[in-house]
């Protein structure tokens, strides 16, 4: 090994302490991109004609128009700014894969990795003269495909065709979305038009894109602006509480692909048991499936074996998978439209429940069934949780684990049973795994259930290995059963029913997949 000097008098050390190059510019020090006039002329010439456009109207376009119209009715005369968002830094100069803001995706139908730095604006017009008779005209502002005679074509790692492939043209995007599309360079002037104390008010979705928020803040000068932005975010969230036909179709597709992923995981359980980090085998199997068949996973996969199943959001997934223990798999595929499933099954690693495991599992299943029974039109969202908790409290009482009766424990001021299930039973599901999260309590927790609502039912019981208030036989057992539920006109539908829930059915299903 050659000697490495660290004396401060060396040229390298002197350079490091006296450089005037800003830190922000130093990422380019590694670059050896050509830039001579000769190269530029050569690289921008000699290209054949582009193939004809293959853009077609998206299957969501008719539905997104209705969604925008419903939003328009709540904000007459106001300009609504809904950014797609931008890339988020993972580390140094590398970014996470782009995912558009959920409100942007919901109103445009653009999913997958579309369309970084784009902005949807609903411009107010005379009531009834806008899109589909609404009070707004929607315009999508984006950076389109650049010509091959431009520097962007070969030198821009964010937008350049050499780097990220051919981007859609303005015409392509307008065809796909059914929304008037303009160059993003026109955005600032469009946002500022007719803005003033007695003119148009501008609202922007908070937290979606800091750069766009800064532009809007410069344009408007009112102390109440931030409060109005929150109202817009709230409305966009509540707009998704009841799913339309297209959204329900997307949810069915996401769940179906997720079911396939669970089957792949079961087939890989023998390999997981042989690996030092078998939980990673489980996670990798499901994540690989999600990337092959969808966009990605809808949230970080929980692959929790043994004691790890008692940690509600266990995502380290670095543990062993042992025969005789349970595997709690909480996972969902997010398809290209960004709609995601959210399903949990707790499986005996070797395909057969022990007596105690089955006892705990059956209690959780009974709680889930009780929740299903009340998840019908006319009931309140909070009733779903209450029904599950009655079963959980009763079963814990029967096992002698509560210091009081089940009825006493269910008192809001007691809640002893919640020691072993501290989470809620349900949450809305859709384009976000915890969809509609900014909705008001009266529209969510206290809401009357309606056909078209989609949410989870996911009771559980979790007995940690060091819990001295439970008998030894229960310690280290964690069970959760989670299904995705659609409220229908006459009851509900379990969208994830293709995955067995009954313990006998689970064992038979696993035997079939494992060939045992």
């Amino acid at each position: 090994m050659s000697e490495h000097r660290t004396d401060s008098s060396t040229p390298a050390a002197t350079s490091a302490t006296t450089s005037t190059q800003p830190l922000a510019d130093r990422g380019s020090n590694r670059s050896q991109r050509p830039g001579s006039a000769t190269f530029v002329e050569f690289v921008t010439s000699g290209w054949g004609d582009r193939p004809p456009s293959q853009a077609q109207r998206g299957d969501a376009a008719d539905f997104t128009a209705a969604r925008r119209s419903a939003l328009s009715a709540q904000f007459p005369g106001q300009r609504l700014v809904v950014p797609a968002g931008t890339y988020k830094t993972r580390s140094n100069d590398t970014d996470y894969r782009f995912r558009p803001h959920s409100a942007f995706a919901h109103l445009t139908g653009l999913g997958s990795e579309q369309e970084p730095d784009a902005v949807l604006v609903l411009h107010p017009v005379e009531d009834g003269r806008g899109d589909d008779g609404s009070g707004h005209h929607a315009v999508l502002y984006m950076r389109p495909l650049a010509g091959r005679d431009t520097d962007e074509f070969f030198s821009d790692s964010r937008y350049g065709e050499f780097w990220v492939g051919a981007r859609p043209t303005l015409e392509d995007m307008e065809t796909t979305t059914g929304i008037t599309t303009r160059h993003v360079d026109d955005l600032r002037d469009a946002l500022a038009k007719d803005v003033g104390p007695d003119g148009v008010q501008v609202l922007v979705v908070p937290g979606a894109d800091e750069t766009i928020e800064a532009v809007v803040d410069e344009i408007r000068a009112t102390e109440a602006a931030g409060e109005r932005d929150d109202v817009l975010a709230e409305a966009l969230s509540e707009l998704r509480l009841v799913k339309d036909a297209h959204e329900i179709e997307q949810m069915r597709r996401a769940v179906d692909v997720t079911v396939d992923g669970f089957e792949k995981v079961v087939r890989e359980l023998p390999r997981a048991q042989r690996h030092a980090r078998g939980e990673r085998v489980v996670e990798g199997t499901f994540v690989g499936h999600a990337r092959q068949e969808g966009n990605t996973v809808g949230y970080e996969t929980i692959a929790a074996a043994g004691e790890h199943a008692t940690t509600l959001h266990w995502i380290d997934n670095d543990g062993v998978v042992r025969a005789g223990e349970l595997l709690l798999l909480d996972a969902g595929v997010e398809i290209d439209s960004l709609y995601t499933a959210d399903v949990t099954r707790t499986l005996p690693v070797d395909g057969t429940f022990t007596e105690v495991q089955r006892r705990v599992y059956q209690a959780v299943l009974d709680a889930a069934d009780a929740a299903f029974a009340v998840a019908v039109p006319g009931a309140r969202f909070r009733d779903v949780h209450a029904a599950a908790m009655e079963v959980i409290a009763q079963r814990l009482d029967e096992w002698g684990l509560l210091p009081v009766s089940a009825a006493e424990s269910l008192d809001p001021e007691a809640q002893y049973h919640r020691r072993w299930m501290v989470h809620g039973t349900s949450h809305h599901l859709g384009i976000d795994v915890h969809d509609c999260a900014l909705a008001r309590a009266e529209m969510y927790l206290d809401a009357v259930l309606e056909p078209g609502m989609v949410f989870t039912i996911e009771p559980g019981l979790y007995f940690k290995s060091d819990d001295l208030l439970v008998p030894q036989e229960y310690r280290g057992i964690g069970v959760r059963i989670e299904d995705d539920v659609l409220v229908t006109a006459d009851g509900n539908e379990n969208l994830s029913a293709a995955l067995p829930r009954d313990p006998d059915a689970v064992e038979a299903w696993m035997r079939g997949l494992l060939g045992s």
Side-chain angles (χ1 to χ4, degrees):
M1 180 181 291
S2 61
E3 182 179 358
H4 178 68
R5 298 180 59 86
T6 58
D7 190 296
S8 62
S9 64
T10 63
T14 301
S15 173
T17 58
T18 61
S19 173
T20 59
Q21 184 185 28
L23 288 174
D25 294 343
R26 297 185 188 181
S28 63
N29 288 344
R30 72 183 189 283
S31 177
Q32 299 183 54
R33 297 180 192 173
S36 68
T38 300
F39 165 76
V40 171
E41 181 179 356
F42 189 67
V43 77
T44 56
S45 62
W47 300 102
D49 293 336
R50 296 184 186 278
S53 172
Q54 300 296 311
Q56 296 181 338
R57 185 173 175 86
D59 58 5
D62 292 337
F63 294 93
T64 57
R67 297 168 197 167
R68 294 191 300 271
S69 181
L71 182 67
S72 170
Q74 299 183 57
F75 296 92
Q78 299 177 77
R79 180 166 291 130
L80 310 179
V81 183
V82 185
T86 190
Y87 291 97
K88 292 180 172 60
T89 302
R90 181 183 186 274
S91 176
N92 190 21
D93 59 352
T94 60
D95 298 321
Y96 287 105
R97 190 180 301 277
F98 177 72
R99 182 196 190 277
H101 190 280
S102 295
F104 177 88
H106 187 240
L107 296 178
T108 64
L110 296 174
S112 191
E113 297 178 56
Q114 300 173 290
E115 179 63 41
D117 303 316
V119 182
L120 174 70
V121 181
L122 272 61
H123 293 288
V125 295
E126 186 178 341
D127 192 30
R129 301 287 294 277
D131 301 335
D132 293 331
S134 75
H136 287 81
H137 175 57
V139 180
L140 179 60
Y141 297 88
M142 60 165 285
R143 184 175 297 278
L145 176 68
R148 288 169 169 167
D149 58 346
T150 65
D151 286 352
E152 180 181 306
F153 167 62
F154 67 88
S155 68
D156 192 323
S157 60
R158 191 183 188 96
Y159 300 111
E161 186 174 348
F162 252 59
W163 295 84
V164 299
R167 294 166 53 76
T169 65
L170 296 178
E171 294 77 15
D172 288 341
M173 189 58 70
E174 188 162 323
T175 297
T176 299
T177 64
I179 302 171
T180 301
T181 307
R182 299 286 182 264
H183 199 291
V184 73
D185 287 351
D186 299 336
L187 176 64
R188 185 184 183 89
D189 288 344
L191 293 181
K193 184 179 180 181
D194 300 326
V195 172
D198 300 319
V200 173
Q201 295 180 339
V202 183
L203 280 65
V204 61
V205 176
D209 189 322
E210 291 182 357
T211 300
I212 300 302
E213 284 187 73
V215 171
V216 171
D217 285 341
E218 288 178 13
I219 290 172
R220 65 188 184 188
T222 170
E223 295 179 358
E227 295 177 10
R228 295 202 310 272
D229 291 344
D230 289 348
V231 173
L232 174 60
E234 175 186 280
L236 288 165
S237 198
E238 293 177 355
L239 189 62
R240 303 199 300 271
L241 283 166
V242 177
K243 271 55 178 177
D244 58 36
H246 176 263
E247 293 180 282
I248 292 171
E249 177 192 1
Q250 298 303 299
M251 291 302 304
R252 292 187 189 280
R253 189 176 304 171
V255 170
D256 289 347
V257 178
T258 296
V259 169
D260 293 341
F262 272 71
E263 292 181 348
K264 287 185 177 180
V265 165
V266 171
R267 292 190 181 100
E268 289 296 311
L269 283 178
R271 184 165 69 92
Q273 293 176 67
R274 297 191 298 269
H275 199 284
R277 295 199 290 183
E279 291 175 344
R280 291 281 172 93
V281 174
V282 171
E283 177 189 10
T285 298
F286 191 87
V287 172
H289 171 77
R291 282 294 289 162
Q292 292 173 51
E293 306 300 332
N295 184 47
T296 183
V297 288
Y299 53 95
E300 291 295 330
T301 299
I302 298 171
E307 156 73 8
H308 290 164
T310 67
T311 299
L312 302 181
H313 283 177
W314 175 260
I315 59 173
D316 288 355
N317 300 337
D318 58 0
V320 297
V321 175
R322 298 185 182 91
E325 295 186 338
L326 297 175
L327 170 72
L328 188 157
L329 177 59
D330 186 335
V333 175
E334 175 187 274
I335 59 176
D336 290 341
S337 62
L338 305 185
Y339 287 84
T340 184
D342 180 7
V343 178
T344 305
R345 287 295 183 268
T346 305
L347 309 172
V349 171
D350 56 8
T352 303
F353 291 101
T354 68
E355 188 277 328
V356 176
Q357 290 169 353
R358 179 180 281 261
R359 185 190 314 159
V360 176
Y361 186 97
Q362 188 64 54
V364 174
L365 180 60
D366 291 345
D369 288 345
F372 267 95
V374 300
V376 298
R380 294 192 179 274
F381 186 82
R382 62 168 62 249
D383 297 339
V384 178
H385 175 73
M389 288 305 93
E390 287 186 12
V391 174
I392 292 293
Q394 182 62 43
R395 210 55 57 89
L396 291 170
D397 185 17
E398 292 172 2
W399 297 341
L401 302 185
L402 297 180
V404 297
S405 69
E408 291 171 305
S409 184
L410 288 166
D411 186 289
E413 299 303 316
Q415 300 290 294
Y416 293 100
H417 58 287
R418 297 300 299 278
R419 174 187 175 98
W420 297 287
M421 184 185 153
V422 298
H423 63 79
T425 302
S426 300
H427 59 78
H428 277 270
L429 181 66
I431 210 165
D432 283 330
V433 65
H434 294 153
D435 211 20
C436 316
L438 301 182
R440 292 165 289 174
E442 59 266 31
M443 299 293 288
Y444 200 134
L445 183 61
D446 296 321
V448 174
L449 300 184
E450 300 179 40
M453 288 183 169
V454 178
F455 49 80
T456 65
I457 289 179
E458 50 177 311
L461 280 171
Y462 313 90
F463 302 108
K464 291 190 172 294
S465 59
D466 58 356
D467 188 345
L468 302 182
L469 297 187
V470 300
Q472 182 67 45
E473 62 180 354
Y474 290 107
R475 296 178 193 172
I477 293 178
V479 173
R480 181 163 65 250
I481 304 170
E482 179 181 20
D483 287 287
D484 300 343
V485 184
L486 168 66
V487 179
T488 62
D490 56 358
N492 61 58
E493 177 186 351
N494 183 355
L495 299 178
S496 46
L499 277 178
R501 302 166 71 247
D502 176 83
D504 290 335
V506 168
E507 291 178 345
W509 172 69
M510 293 185 68
R511 283 195 300 271
L513 293 171
L514 293 170
S516 57

